[in-house]
Amino acid sequence: MAIEQATPLAPHSLAPAERAIQLIGGELTEKSLRLHLEGLPGVDAVGLEARAAALGTRSIKTTSKAWALDTIIELIDLTTLEGADTPGKVASLVAKAINPDPSDLTTPCVAAVCVYGDMVPYALEALGTAGGESGIHIAAVATAFPSGRASLPVKIADTRDAVRFGADEIDMVIDRGAFLSGRYGLVFDQIVAVKEACRREDGSSAHLKVILETGELTTYDNVRRASWLAILAGADFIKTSTGKVAPAATLPVTLLMLQVVNDWYRLTGERIGVKPAGGIRTSKDAIKYLVTVAETVGQEWLQRHLFRFGASSLLNDVLLQRQKLTSGHYSGPDYVTVD
Amino acid sequence: MTRLAVPKTYKLYIGGKFPRSESGRVYEITNATGEFLANAAKASRKDARDAVVAARAATGGWAGATGYNRGQVLYRIAELLEGRRAQFVAELRASESLSESAAQLQVDAAIDIWVWYAGWADKYVQVAGNGNPVSGPYFNISTPEATGVVAIIAPQESSLLGLVSVIAPALVSGNTVVVVASERAPLAAISLSEVLATSDVPGGVINVLTGSAAEIAPWLASHADVNALDLAGAGDLDGDLSWVDLQIAAAETLKRVLPPENGIPAPSVERITFFTETKTVWHTKGII
């Protein structure tokens, strides 16, 4: 990173704008932000992809695999983001989140359920008292997901609604149009405003995940800039994609975002989470991500508050693999739920 | 100047593609006198698993096609076999030490069996289905439907005719197939796959594994996503594997199991209807 180790800041105690000013060292203007972000070193695309491919070749078997499968389940944000979502579907998703495999009660529960904002009350109702025991969070997508094409007041109202309904986490999308046309300040301000809207009445705050939609950012350099920008503006998590755009999460992009998170940690001591979402459908793929996390930022990142998989079909594949490990014979899709 | 021969690499046939074994293993195929013929892929349990996944994905389209359509597709395989006759004759002669005329007869028989079973595709329902008399104003109709994924241990002694005699009947009703070819002489099975790949059979409907049947069969028998098991060639497997153990493993997931046969199974409608499930529906009659 271009930024030298500054005098120890305590950035997490500051409001986002202030810590950005401290880091950038000067007025926080569109120009200074731009100079800062475009001063970030370029990404060695070939090296990044080679590194990601190398990390994907590790062989994880037997007890390590069993551990990996359980860890994957614990890190899943079980997601349903369809226009056709119904309260019933959300309720069955929550039931699956609490108890992914009814035939094996030793299966851990997932990290969170991710739904549209208006589905949060139904998810909470379905979670009922089990929510407290299991620690399952409700995550809501907000800010005109998935395109992000709405005015700021609408985005803020969208966020406030979800928080008021009781969402523990907010997944916002950045304005990719503004980012790609170089208006970093606008993107920054919007993230700061949404972060503010995540505040609850009692002073606590819903966790903010910022979706970069890397499939639309076109270059690795842009992904690095967007990640850095989101973290500067106060993101608790940076998330690859909405799942509505192809390509969604890829291993190189996730590796790059983990590197940014690592840089930020070394600079400020603050741990930012990463959430690859979309396109991770098999246990084999998910295990590659676990390896990448452990090798890039360290194994302490493999916790619910620092790493998540945004996925829906991944869980079923992990359950099938888990059943194979326990029973000794291959299982089939008839032995897991449809959704 | 002598020309260097270019030997053929025989691979597996899974999901319409020709992958090598996931395990990377190969084994030597020899003729009856022990002379080297080719290397074939030695499939592992993971190849079997991948084949089942491919077969499962293909069930909807194949079982959903009309019987008439399936019949046409199967008949076309017979046409293509006819065109590749010389290759199959050569392979049978090399790997089974048959005379030219005996090999010709085997290929003829294999083609005739395809045609015979292809004809049943739009007829077996009329034979096996029924309109049941019931005491009420209802039509009560039973029809056979494909059971799903059928795992087959092909006859070990006859590489082409034996294989065709077990996969064709399973396909007629719309099942998809994972077949473990003859271990000693799998070359004709892979060449048949090449015929299938260029025919109208959708990828995944037929999946061919080569290697040790004794090694792969237990995994297929216990696989929860396999609906039926045809143990035609499991009677004379090497090693101490008993087909009864396979039947016991299959019972855990309520599979249909067809026991081993001596030699090559004769063509029969029973082999078609064995891999079907009977669906009975009630329809109200208008009361006038």
Side-chain angles (χ1 to χ4, degrees):
Chain A
M1 271 305 143
I3 304 153
E4 314 84 45
Q5 177 76 49
T7 45
L9 318 156
H12 31 302
S13 60
L14 297 173
E18 288 174 60
R19 73 175 170 190
I21 292 168
Q22 280 211 12
L23 264 173
I24 293 174
E27 286 287 295
L28 188 63
T29 62
E30 184 81 64
K31 188 181 166 194
S32 65
L33 200 56
R34 186 170 188 143
L35 279 172
H36 177 70
L37 288 177
E38 296 191 346
L40 294 174
V43 179
D44 169 10
V46 175
L48 181 73
E49 282 169 9
R51 173 76 177 142
L55 288 170
T57 59
R58 301 282 172 85
S59 178
I60 309 290
K61 301 289 179 201
T62 62
T63 49
S64 313
K65 185 169 180 184
W67 179 86
L69 292 178
D70 279 2
T71 307
I72 291 167
I73 297 176
E74 284 168 9
L75 295 176
I76 285 180
D77 276 6
L78 198 58
T79 304
T80 180
L81 296 170
E82 302 296 334
D85 283 349
T86 59
K89 187 174 176 199
V90 170
S92 67
L93 193 79
V94 170
K96 184 165 187 180
I98 298 169
N99 191 1
D101 186 354
S103 68
D104 181 359
L105 297 177
T106 63
T107 315
C109 62
V110 306
V113 173
C114 184
V115 291
Y116 272 113
D118 62 333
M119 288 291 158
V120 170
Y122 304 115
L124 267 180
E125 188 191 339
L127 203 52
T129 50
E133 297 161 23
S134 60
I136 296 176
H137 283 188
I138 306 286
V141 294
T143 70
F145 180 94
S147 67
R149 295 255 69 85
S151 69
L152 185 59
V154 172
K155 291 182 178 179
I156 290 174
D158 196 7
T159 311
R160 287 226 172 95
D161 252 7
V163 174
R164 190 165 47 81
F165 286 146
D168 303 294
E169 302 169 1
I170 297 294
D171 288 26
M172 71 165 288
V173 288
I174 63 165
D175 182 343
R176 280 90 73 189
F179 181 87
L180 290 170
S181 54
R183 286 173 291 162
Y184 301 135
L186 181 64
V187 180
F188 183 92
D189 289 345
Q190 288 193 351
I191 298 174
V192 171
V194 172
K195 171 92 178 171
E196 196 54 40
C198 287
R199 209 177 286 278
R200 299 192 193 92
E201 277 169 10
D202 63 1
S204 63
S205 220
H207 267 242
L208 180 65
K209 303 198 201 104
V210 177
I211 304 173
L212 309 178
E213 194 62 294
T214 52
E216 290 183 345
L217 297 184
T218 64
T219 67
Y220 289 128
D221 288 352
N222 276 343
V223 173
R224 174 174 277 175
R225 283 183 202 125
S227 306
W228 196 254
L229 178 65
I231 296 173
L232 274 180
D236 298 307
F237 250 90
I238 47 176
K239 174 174 167 183
T240 58
S241 355
T242 58
K244 306 287 184 196
V245 170
T250 65
L251 201 52
V253 156
T254 310
L255 171 60
L256 176 59
M257 288 164 65
L258 285 163
Q259 287 171 347
V260 173
V261 161
N262 196 34
D263 290 337
W264 183 261
Y265 174 66
R266 284 161 59 186
L267 192 66
T268 68
E270 186 187 15
R271 290 183 171 91
I272 303 292
V274 175
K275 175 177 172 184
I280 307 169
R281 294 199 180 81
T282 63
S283 314
K284 202 171 180 178
D285 280 348
I287 289 173
K288 291 178 185 173
Y289 281 84
L290 293 189
V291 171
T292 306
V293 172
E295 290 285 337
T296 312
V297 282
Q299 209 167 320
E300 78 249 38
W301 247 264
L302 291 177
Q303 299 182 56
R304 286 178 171 181
H305 65 282
L306 288 175
F307 191 77
R308 296 281 179 83
F309 289 106
S312 40
S313 54
L314 170 64
L315 181 56
N316 274 352
D317 190 70
V318 176
L319 293 179
L320 291 181
Q321 299 277 340
R322 210 173 174 277
Q323 288 172 358
K324 157 72 176 66
L325 281 184
T326 22
S327 71
H329 60 74
Y330 289 117
S331 188
D334 291 348
Y335 296 82
V336 290
T337 55
V338 175
D339 273 323
Chain B
M1 189 173 149
T2 52
R3 181 178 167 276
L4 262 182
V6 181
K8 177 169 163 186
T9 307
Y10 289 83
K11 298 194 277 187
L12 308 174
Y13 183 56
I14 298 174
K17 294 194 168 65
F18 290 93
R20 290 185 167 80
S21 168
E22 163 275 340
S23 63
R25 300 177 303 176
V26 291
Y27 69 114
E28 288 190 2
I29 310 299
T30 56
N31 64 12
T33 57
E35 216 173 302
F36 176 80
L37 286 177
N39 283 314
K42 189 168 187 189
S44 69
R45 62 184 164 91
K46 291 194 178 173
D47 295 312
R49 175 199 62 185
D50 293 347
V52 172
V53 170
R56 173 58 63 196
T59 46
W62 184 240
T66 58
Y68 178 66
N69 187 204
R70 276 200 303 276
Q72 286 179 314
V73 170
L74 294 176
Y75 183 80
R76 168 113 176 111
I77 297 171
E79 288 179 6
L80 292 174
L81 277 177
E82 193 75 57
R84 291 239 206 169
R85 162 183 294 278
Q87 180 190 358
F88 284 103
V89 169
E91 271 171 352
L92 290 183
R93 291 192 66 185
S95 59
E96 294 183 32
S97 300
L98 297 176
S99 67
E100 171 79 22
S101 58
Q104 290 277 9
L105 281 176
Q106 289 253 325
V107 176
D108 286 345
I111 295 171
D112 291 349
I113 280 182
W114 272 118
V115 174
W116 192 80
Y117 276 117
W120 276 106
D122 57 356
K123 300 176 188 71
Y124 83 98
V125 176
Q126 291 87 312
V127 174
N130 196 37
N132 310 310
V134 288
S135 60
Y138 299 100
F139 290 115
N140 183 271
I141 304 159
S142 294
T143 44
E145 291 188 347
T147 184
V149 176
V150 181
I152 301 175
I153 311 301
Q156 298 292 301
E157 296 310 318
S158 170
S159 60
L160 179 66
L161 184 57
L163 181 75
V164 166
S165 303
V166 288
I167 61 175
L171 294 171
V172 167
S173 61
N175 294 301
T176 56
V177 161
V178 175
V179 61
V180 184
S182 164
E183 181 172 1
R184 195 183 58 74
L187 302 191
I190 297 301
S191 295
L192 178 68
S193 307
E194 289 161 10
V195 170
L196 298 171
T198 51
S199 74
D200 303 325
V201 184
V205 169
I206 305 169
N207 303 278
V208 181
L209 303 174
T210 56
S212 163
E215 178 193 336
I216 304 167
W219 292 101
L220 288 171
S222 66
H223 197 307
D225 205 24
V226 171
N227 300 91
L229 200 56
D230 182 349
L231 297 175
D236 41 25
L237 288 184
D238 297 339
D240 42 358
L241 178 79
S242 155
W243 69 270
V244 179
D245 292 333
L246 297 178
Q247 196 172 29
I248 292 169
E252 287 290 328
T253 48
L254 305 177
K255 287 182 187 61
R256 295 182 179 280
V257 180
L258 206 52
E261 297 219 10
N262 281 324
I264 300 163
S268 71
V269 188
E270 283 69 38
R271 284 196 85 82
I272 300 175
T273 54
F274 186 82
F275 299 113
T276 59
E277 309 290 337
T278 301
K279 181 172 83 177
T280 300
V281 292
W282 296 70
H283 267 285
T284 48
K285 278 180 191 168
I287 308 169
I288 303 165

